[in-house]
Amino acid sequence: MNQLRRLGQTDLYLSPLGLGTWQYSTKDTNKNSMWGSTETETVYEIIKYSLQHGMNWIDTAEIYGNGTSEAFIGEVTQRLKHERMLATQPLIASKWFPLARSASSIKNTIDERLTYLQVPTIDLYQIHQPTSRSPLRKQIEAMVSIAEKNKIKQIGVSNFSAKQMIKAHQLLKEYGMTLASNQVKYNLLHRNPEKNGTLDAAKELGITIIAYSPLQQGLLTGRFHEHPEALAKISRFRKLQSSLTSRTLKKTEPLYKELKRIALNYDKSISQIALNWLINAQGDTVLAIPGASKLQQAQENVGTLNFELSRKDIARLNDISQNLK
Ligand SMILES: NC(=O)c1ccc[n+]([C@@H]2O[C@H](COP(=O)([O-])OP(=O)(O)OC[C@H]3O[C@@H](n4cnc5c(N)ncnc54)[C@H](OP(=O)(O)O)[C@@H]3O)[C@@H](O)[C@H]2O)c1
């Protein structure tokens, strides 16, 4: 159920689900090729509902609209604070974008992150992906130096292989810290972290795995199986990223049917079953960050926190998703 889980070996405790916010990369009327634009009031309602119903953290990144997503979060959380809508302040995770940049930009851009987010410190700051102009040691040094200034609390990485993750962890140990998390793509249709050693290494070292695209960008909600014509409205990049094609719908039909059967048994939705598998199949190691562009999606996703799949159903989903032809 929704008991807070320790983030890596840190003193932070997170709900099994956090809110993903890549969706809020474009404000109001501007168009965004990946997700379309988001209304400020919708973001407000989604964040309010999610935080009032069991989530205690939000994940964002510098690269999501060049600070737009972070600014949305800053604006909404301040508004909720003034309206006294929240029992506690949410924890914030953000990410530095390393591509074609050197480690010095970590120190040069952190104040902008804090300004957008309207917080004095970021709870979890992640290196968004492993490619940078500077070696990992330099990046870790820069992350540690902003941690020493209390601008960030804990350090994580994203899209790191098992080997890269272990190296980041070892480097941090030299500074008396540990690697809190590795954010990777993980869901019932993308189980690579189980095969490429990332999950095993994370369990061994006490590093949390944060699963992104936990619903395979909508495929694991059943909505495209039920309305294949809706695929036509999805951006090309998203289709490519999540293999949103009619061929995939056909291939994944057995999983869709099983998710639907289990959902009926629990009186839950398909997306709730898919998310529940993700946060319960691997003990406490995996947290997930579903994105939502509509309030109803956020309501549904947060409802995942109120139940737990049986070991038998988890095993059944393991089996079917592994054997899709
Ligand atoms: N670290 C990284 O490199 C990385 C990469 C990707 C994502 N992320 C993070 O992970 C978060 C989640 O990943 P994601 O956005 O790629 O994929 P996702 O969470 O699997 O899918 C989100 C999309 O699925 C649809 N959806 C969500 N809940 C639904 C529901 N209950 N019923 C029907 N449809 C639903 C919505 O599509 P519509 O908007 O079309 O309705 C929503 O925008 C992102 O917001 C971002 O914070 C990180």
Side-chain angles (χ1 to χ4, degrees):
M1 298 283 251
N2 189 27
Q3 275 184 348
L4 297 184
R5 297 178 180 179
R6 190 175 177 193
L7 175 72
Q9 296 165 60
T10 73
D11 56 0
L12 296 181
Y13 286 80
L14 270 55
S15 46
L17 292 183
L19 183 67
T21 62
W22 184 11
Q23 280 68 14
Y24 318 142
S25 297
T26 313
K27 207 169 177 177
D28 295 322
T29 52
N30 295 327
K31 280 284 162 216
N32 170 329
S33 60
M34 178 78 181
W35 293 108
S37 70
T38 331
E39 300 283 336
T40 305
E41 276 313 292
T42 307
V43 180
Y44 169 79
E45 291 300 335
I46 288 173
I47 294 182
K48 182 169 96 172
Y49 189 92
S50 302
L51 295 177
Q52 286 183 336
H53 292 83
M55 285 188 189
N56 75 343
W57 62 292
I58 303 175
D59 179 83
T60 183
E62 173 185 18
I63 195 77
Y64 300 161
N66 233 331
T68 307
S69 168
E70 291 174 322
F72 260 127
I73 294 166
E75 205 179 306
V76 169
T77 49
Q78 285 306 312
R79 184 171 154 196
L80 290 170
K81 197 171 153 189
H82 289 131
E83 293 169 350
R84 297 181 193 278
M85 290 285 186
L86 301 178
T88 53
Q89 273 301 98
L91 300 174
I92 304 291
S94 193
K95 311 178 198 87
W96 167 71
F97 197 69
L99 196 66
R101 281 165 128 189
S102 55
S104 58
S105 91
I106 292 178
K107 293 184 207 169
N108 296 341
T109 54
I110 186 65
D111 289 338
E112 193 177 62
R113 313 271 67 74
L114 298 174
T115 305
Y116 279 132
L117 287 162
Q118 303 192 41
V119 289
T121 179
I122 293 172
D123 300 286
L124 172 66
Y125 203 44
Q126 304 151 96
I127 299 175
H128 204 139
Q129 41 106 332
T131 316
S132 160
R133 278 198 190 144
S134 300
L136 186 59
R137 178 177 286 279
K138 289 273 173 221
Q139 297 172 58
I140 293 291
E141 267 171 25
M143 293 290 265
V144 170
S145 87
I146 57 172
E148 282 167 357
K149 293 195 172 86
N150 289 325
K151 294 186 179 194
I152 64 170
K153 283 190 186 145
Q154 298 297 339
I155 297 167
V157 293
S158 176
N159 297 305
F160 273 41
S161 67
K163 204 172 152 197
Q164 291 161 338
M165 178 183 82
I166 293 166
K167 183 153 180 226
H169 184 68
Q170 284 166 346
L171 288 169
L172 278 163
K173 277 176 110 176
E174 293 180 21
Y175 294 94
M177 291 184 79
T178 53
L179 184 71
S181 56
N182 187 8
Q183 184 174 134
V184 293
K185 183 169 179 178
Y186 186 23
N187 65 49
L188 267 169
L189 290 171
H190 187 94
R191 295 177 59 185
N192 294 20
E194 293 171 35
K195 297 171 204 153
N196 61 21
T198 312
L199 188 65
D200 284 344
K203 282 182 180 170
E204 198 184 315
L205 299 174
I207 298 165
T208 293
I209 292 293
I210 299 178
Y212 74 71
S213 301
L215 294 169
Q216 188 76 357
Q217 299 191 334
L219 199 71
L220 286 165
T221 68
R223 72 188 232 201
F224 297 116
H225 290 88
E226 281 150 27
H227 300 283
E229 70 285 358
L231 282 179
K233 289 196 191 129
I234 299 299
S235 69
R236 247 176 80 187
F237 183 54
R238 180 169 165 194
K239 272 186 195 154
L240 260 173
Q241 241 198 4
S242 289
S243 188
L244 292 172
T245 61
S246 33
R247 195 163 160 260
T248 311
L249 292 184
K250 202 166 165 211
K251 181 180 150 185
T252 55
E253 186 76 16
L255 178 63
Y256 160 69
K257 284 192 174 147
E258 188 58 16
L259 283 167
K260 199 170 168 179
R261 188 191 68 77
I262 296 176
L264 274 171
N265 280 350
Y266 284 79
D267 196 17
K268 293 285 175 185
S269 71
I270 290 177
S271 26
Q272 288 170 336
I273 302 299
L275 288 175
N276 206 280
W277 173 85
L278 199 49
I279 57 175
N280 288 312
Q282 303 295 339
D284 278 357
T285 300
V286 177
L287 311 178
I289 45 170
S293 63
K294 292 154 199 84
L295 176 61
Q296 190 257 329
Q297 294 173 351
Q299 289 169 333
E300 196 174 310
N301 297 345
V302 96
T304 305
L305 296 170
N306 308 330
F307 74 106
E308 194 169 328
L309 285 173
S310 69
R311 295 325 291 176
K312 197 171 150 224
D313 287 326
I314 287 176
R316 179 100 186 107
L317 288 168
N318 277 344
D319 198 39
I320 293 204
S321 74
Q322 229 149 29
N323 292 307
L324 293 172
K325 297 214 173 66

